[in-house]
Amino acid sequence: MAKKNSPKVLILLGSPRKKGNTAILAARAAAAAKAAGARVESVYLHGLNIRPCSACGACQKKNAKGCVIRDDMQSLYPKLREADALLFATPVYWFHMSAQTKLAMDRCYALVEPQGHAFAGKRIGIIMAYGAPDVFSSGGVNALRTFQDAFGFIGAKIVGMVYGCASWRQAARLSPMVQAGRLHPQQALLKAAEDLGKKLAG
Amino acid sequence: MAKKNSPKVLILLGSPRKKGNTAILAARAAAAAKAAGARVESVYLHGLNIRPCSACGACQKKNAKGCVIRDDMQSLYPKLREADALLFATPVYWFHMSAQTKLAMDRCYALVEPQGHAFAGKRIGIIMAYGAPDVFSSGGVNALRTFQDAFGFIGAKIVGMVYGCASWRQAARLSPMVQAGRLHPQQALLKAAEDLGKKLAG
Amino acid sequence: MAKKNSPKVLILLGSPRKKGNTAILAARAAAAAKAAGARVESVYLHGLNIRPCSACGACQKKNAKGCVIRDDMQSLYPKLREADALLFATPVYWFHMSAQTKLAMDRCYALVEPQGHAFAGKRIGIIMAYGAPDVFSSGGVNALRTFQDAFGFIGAKIVGMVYGCASWRQAARLSPMVQAGRLHPQQALLKAAEDLGKKLAG
Amino acid sequence: MAKKNSPKVLILLGSPRKKGNTAILAARAAAAAKAAGARVESVYLHGLNIRPCSACGACQKKNAKGCVIRDDMQSLYPKLREADALLFATPVYWFHMSAQTKLAMDRCYALVEPQGHAFAGKRIGIIMAYGAPDVFSSGGVNALRTFQDAFGFIGAKIVGMVYGCASWRQAARLSPMVQAGRLHPQQALLKAAEDLGKKLAG
């Protein structure tokens, strides 16, 4: 379906779990984006060697050629540049995005370039799952605010944020609003992920 | 059930709707608090004449005798002081608590006293309903943060926050997590309100 | 300087203090906007009779003619519609915007119209002052998040947010960053207000 | 000065810069804590091999013996347990704490134990520096909210948060409040770090 000039969607999987909730949701978004004609690639961050930003500043020097740390970010940078849309899929750990996701984000400082950040103008999607009952009690709000602040600052456009409690049992006990969710919670959340996939396809 | 030395729970109804969602939830909390032995009083803020704080500073002068604005806050101040627990029940309007609720809160500046704020040590409950799908998209988080900051600052203890989407149809369309909520959403949310009522009773 | 087709800037003064810090900052912004060719009007909200939104829903009925509450908002609505830019100037009370400001915001629900909110596309400026040392400890962040959420939702564009501690003595004691601010703090903050005024002029 | 039964303060340095602003502030806090009689140890996280949490769940199984990932967290866990106070010193990267800091935090999931989290009851200090003008525009607020949520949840007590703009030139241009800060900004901020050190010493 996807042609040479089809929009590219890059999915950054920020959970260590390959079959976890964020992965399931991201897969749905991926399928929907493909169905809408996009070329989609998913990157499993936990499997990569990505070192923390060392704040050396080399990437911001005149005539710099990007980040000087030789690790798996080097193969990720071209993909991040070329994508028309980025999907960040992360669990909530300790009231914020996973360290896996934050590691990659911090290294995107190297994409600050004279004409602006390489993400400027790109479509951004967020997928987030948590074990606490809701987006406030889980601390998911802190991650959402971080995404809003960061992408607002660099001029990328968040086209959708899909988030939900991944722990139906706990949700039922602690968060009464979604108790009924035990019946068939996945359909609607997965549907939202599909809608996000379509939006990312442009 | 309630005796002379029973704990007092004061409920501030911040919605103009007497039979709206926050009122329903607050009524459940009230019933549960009564059943737990508390004396409970509910005040319908929308029906009162409460003027905005004029920042005159009279209440903070030496030997001040409270707020100098002669309106319905004067009958509310003694109740606020005497209560062992306060329940703020508010809808979310414009991504924050209702102006009715904020009007009363601002006037509580007059309860800052030499030995601390009159609310210090009291139990606090929050009940909040909104039309948007969830506590982030509704802006309910901004009100929750305000309550956390304010009561943390003055040393009152938030014992529970119960919040949910009041608009099942919209929730179903926009927030897939609670689609199933159409079936019987009230039970669980009302149950949470009851649990909060018990906690407020002490 | 301002001509018939000059942009209109409407300033909503949300502090009860006519010569307070938000008023001073707003006056600077007003002067700068005028100097940039705009027609500027300031409205002192505390002096108006603005009742809380009663959530009657009349303004959202088919063929509705706006809000049915007959108070001073009726003279404010045309000004809010006609303005090209709005400046909300508010102190931080109880870790959020003043009730005066919130009262007016809540009533702007009546400006939700079939084709969108009357504020859509307008330039928005925020001016905020607080007694606590900084924008986090004061709770000013909660008001800023509310403004961001609300104006983002309705499609108005925040062009600048100017905020600062109004209490130099307290700032010096509690927030070491601005201790030096005692020397000549006003110049820079007032300069920022002027820059905001220019942006509001378009 | 410190004796065997002196309180232990553990400082987690989350910046890659050994002589950066957070390090300078943390050093002041350390010195003050020592002067107040505490035993103080600083750990430079960037120099450690700390892998992201793999969400394997082994640490939460019955009779679990902590985290099964064999890296430098293994030598850090005993220190984290034994400390009476923890100081998290982090720069703000991408509108949140550094990935270095988040890596260590995520791995503290292994300190969730049957009787509660190992941090419960400990004193917590936060030191944070950023390049943007203030704690809101920098996104520092998102990190502070995350710390508040996380330590509130596990029952640790935040005794102080010291934060400031590390880039005086930028601060002067963008955030007028601290323009005067160019004159001698360090004194007051360093003083606050010292006060925090004392509080951490107990």
Side-chain angles (χ1 to χ4, degrees):
Chain A
M1 218 165 303
K3 301 175 189 169
K4 259 202 171 168
N5 57 354
S6 296
K8 285 187 184 176
V9 176
L10 182 66
I11 300 179
L12 300 177
L13 298 167
S15 173
R17 292 182 177 163
K18 285 192 167 170
K19 298 184 179 181
N21 294 285
T22 53
I24 290 169
L25 290 169
R28 280 291 180 109
K34 275 180 203 160
R39 287 171 289 173
V40 179
E41 182 174 357
S42 293
V43 174
Y44 174 63
L45 293 172
H46 189 69
L48 300 181
N49 173 29
I50 299 180
R51 284 150 58 194
C53 172
S54 64
C56 68
C59 63
Q60 298 305 314
K61 285 184 182 148
K62 209 181 166 182
N63 300 321
K65 303 231 164 117
C67 180
V68 297
I69 303 178
R70 301 292 122 189
D71 62 9
D72 289 340
M73 276 305 289
Q74 296 302 334
S75 58
L76 197 49
Y77 283 129
K79 295 176 185 178
L80 288 164
R81 283 177 191 287
E82 288 158 22
D84 299 289
L86 300 170
L87 173 56
F88 291 81
T90 180
V92 173
Y93 289 166
W94 274 76
F95 300 86
H96 207 255
M97 67 183 72
S98 69
Q100 287 87 337
T101 306
K102 191 58 168 49
L103 276 168
M105 276 189 76
D106 283 6
R107 292 288 296 283
C108 290
Y109 181 55
L111 297 172
V112 176
E113 295 166 358
Q115 70 278 19
H117 195 280
F119 289 176
K122 291 193 199 299
R123 293 183 292 280
I124 306 286
I126 308 297
I127 277 177
M128 201 166 69
Y130 33 80
D134 65 68
V135 72
F136 179 75
S137 59
S138 65
V141 292
N142 302 321
L144 295 181
R145 290 300 191 198
T146 299
F147 286 127
Q148 287 181 318
D149 287 349
F151 295 121
F153 182 74
I154 64 181
K157 183 176 168 51
I158 296 180
V159 297
M161 305 195 287
V162 173
Y163 44 87
C165 174
S167 166
W168 315 119
R169 198 167 299 188
Q170 187 176 6
R173 186 169 51 84
L174 296 181
S175 173
M177 286 304 292
V178 292
Q179 186 171 32
R182 280 182 299 178
L183 304 179
H184 53 99
Q186 287 100 336
Q187 287 85 328
L189 192 59
L190 292 171
K191 174 68 169 53
E194 289 173 7
D195 291 343
L196 177 55
K198 280 178 214 163
K199 283 185 200 161
L200 290 170
Chain B
M1 217 166 303
K3 301 173 190 172
K4 259 202 173 169
N5 58 353
S6 297
K8 283 186 185 177
V9 176
L10 181 66
I11 300 179
L12 300 177
L13 299 168
S15 172
R17 292 183 176 161
K18 284 193 167 169
K19 298 185 177 179
N21 293 285
T22 52
I24 290 169
L25 291 168
R28 280 291 180 108
K34 276 179 202 163
R39 285 170 291 171
V40 179
E41 181 175 358
S42 293
V43 174
Y44 174 63
L45 294 172
H46 189 69
L48 299 182
N49 173 29
I50 299 179
R51 283 148 61 191
C53 173
S54 64
C56 69
C59 63
Q60 299 305 314
K61 287 186 181 145
K62 208 180 167 182
N63 299 321
K65 302 230 164 119
C67 180
V68 297
I69 303 178
R70 301 291 123 188
D71 61 9
D72 289 340
M73 278 304 290
Q74 296 302 336
S75 57
L76 198 48
Y77 283 127
K79 296 176 184 177
L80 289 164
R81 283 178 192 285
E82 288 158 23
D84 299 289
L86 300 170
L87 172 57
F88 290 83
T90 180
V92 174
Y93 289 167
W94 275 75
F95 300 86
H96 207 256
M97 67 183 71
S98 69
Q100 286 89 336
T101 306
K102 191 60 169 49
L103 276 167
M105 279 188 75
D106 283 6
R107 292 289 296 284
C108 290
Y109 181 55
L111 297 173
V112 176
E113 297 166 358
Q115 70 278 20
H117 195 281
F119 290 175
K122 291 192 198 301
R123 294 184 291 281
I124 306 285
I126 309 295
I127 278 178
M128 199 167 70
Y130 33 80
D134 65 68
V135 72
F136 179 74
S137 60
S138 67
V141 292
N142 303 321
L144 296 180
R145 289 300 192 198
T146 299
F147 286 126
Q148 286 182 318
D149 287 348
F151 295 120
F153 182 75
I154 63 182
K157 183 176 167 52
I158 295 180
V159 297
M161 306 196 286
V162 173
Y163 44 86
C165 174
S167 166
W168 315 117
R169 198 168 297 188
Q170 186 176 5
R173 186 167 52 83
L174 296 181
S175 173
M177 288 304 293
V178 291
Q179 186 172 33
R182 278 182 302 178
L183 303 179
H184 54 98
Q186 287 99 337
Q187 287 85 329
L189 191 59
L190 292 170
K191 175 68 169 50
E194 289 172 7
D195 291 343
L196 177 55
K198 279 177 214 162
K199 283 185 200 161
L200 289 170
Chain C
M1 217 169 302
K3 301 173 189 170
K4 260 202 172 170
N5 57 353
S6 296
K8 284 187 184 177
V9 176
L10 181 66
I11 299 178
L12 300 178
L13 299 167
S15 173
R17 292 182 177 162
K18 285 193 167 169
K19 297 185 178 179
N21 293 284
T22 53
I24 291 168
L25 290 168
R28 281 292 180 108
K34 274 179 203 162
R39 286 170 290 171
V40 179
E41 182 175 356
S42 293
V43 174
Y44 174 62
L45 293 173
H46 189 68
L48 299 182
N49 172 29
I50 299 180
R51 284 148 59 193
C53 173
S54 64
C56 68
C59 64
Q60 298 305 313
K61 286 186 182 147
K62 209 181 165 182
N63 299 320
K65 302 226 165 123
C67 180
V68 298
I69 304 178
R70 301 291 121 188
D71 62 8
D72 289 341
M73 277 304 289
Q74 296 301 336
S75 58
L76 197 49
Y77 282 128
K79 295 176 184 177
L80 289 164
R81 284 177 191 285
E82 288 159 21
D84 298 289
L86 300 170
L87 173 56
F88 290 82
T90 180
V92 174
Y93 289 166
W94 274 76
F95 300 87
H96 205 255
M97 68 182 71
S98 69
Q100 287 89 337
T101 306
K102 192 58 170 47
L103 276 167
M105 278 189 76
D106 283 6
R107 292 289 296 284
C108 290
Y109 181 54
L111 297 172
V112 176
E113 295 166 358
Q115 70 278 18
H117 195 281
F119 290 175
K122 292 193 198 297
R123 294 183 293 279
I124 306 286
I126 308 297
I127 278 177
M128 202 167 69
Y130 33 80
D134 65 67
V135 72
F136 179 74
S137 59
S138 66
V141 292
N142 302 321
L144 295 181
R145 289 300 192 198
T146 299
F147 286 126
Q148 286 181 318
D149 287 350
F151 295 121
F153 182 74
I154 63 181
K157 185 178 167 49
I158 296 180
V159 297
M161 305 196 287
V162 173
Y163 44 87
C165 174
S167 167
W168 315 117
R169 197 167 298 188
Q170 188 176 6
R173 184 167 52 83
L174 297 180
S175 173
M177 286 304 294
V178 292
Q179 185 170 33
R182 279 182 302 180
L183 304 178
H184 54 98
Q186 287 99 337
Q187 287 85 330
L189 191 58
L190 291 171
K191 175 66 170 53
E194 288 173 6
D195 291 344
L196 177 55
K198 279 178 213 162
K199 282 184 200 162
L200 289 170
Chain D
M1 217 166 301
K3 300 174 189 170
K4 260 203 172 166
N5 57 355
S6 296
K8 284 187 184 177
V9 176
L10 181 66
I11 300 178
L12 300 177
L13 300 167
S15 173
R17 293 181 176 162
K18 285 193 167 169
K19 298 185 178 179
N21 293 285
T22 53
I24 290 169
L25 291 169
R28 281 293 180 106
K34 273 179 205 162
R39 288 169 290 171
V40 179
E41 181 175 359
S42 294
V43 175
Y44 174 62
L45 294 173
H46 189 70
L48 299 182
N49 172 29
I50 299 179
R51 283 149 60 193
C53 172
S54 64
C56 68
C59 63
Q60 298 306 313
K61 286 186 182 145
K62 209 181 165 181
N63 300 320
K65 302 228 164 120
C67 181
V68 297
I69 304 177
R70 300 292 121 188
D71 62 9
D72 290 339
M73 277 305 289
Q74 296 301 336
S75 58
L76 197 49
Y77 283 128
K79 295 176 185 177
L80 288 164
R81 283 178 191 286
E82 289 159 22
D84 300 288
L86 299 170
L87 173 57
F88 290 82
T90 179
V92 174
Y93 289 166
W94 274 76
F95 301 86
H96 207 255
M97 67 184 70
S98 69
Q100 287 88 337
T101 306
K102 191 60 172 46
L103 276 167
M105 277 188 77
D106 283 4
R107 292 289 295 285
C108 290
Y109 182 55
L111 297 172
V112 176
E113 295 166 357
Q115 69 279 18
H117 195 281
F119 290 175
K122 290 192 198 301
R123 292 183 293 280
I124 306 286
I126 308 296
I127 277 177
M128 200 167 68
Y130 33 81
D134 65 67
V135 73
F136 178 76
S137 59
S138 66
V141 291
N142 302 322
L144 295 181
R145 290 300 192 197
T146 298
F147 286 126
Q148 286 181 318
D149 287 348
F151 295 120
F153 182 75
I154 63 182
K157 184 178 166 52
I158 297 180
V159 296
M161 305 195 286
V162 173
Y163 44 87
C165 174
S167 166
W168 315 117
R169 197 166 299 187
Q170 187 176 5
R173 185 168 52 85
L174 296 180
S175 172
M177 286 306 294
V178 292
Q179 185 170 32
R182 279 181 300 179
L183 304 178
H184 52 99
Q186 286 99 337
Q187 287 86 327
L189 191 59
L190 291 170
K191 174 69 168 50
E194 289 172 6
D195 291 343
L196 177 56
K198 279 178 215 163
K199 283 184 199 162
L200 289 170

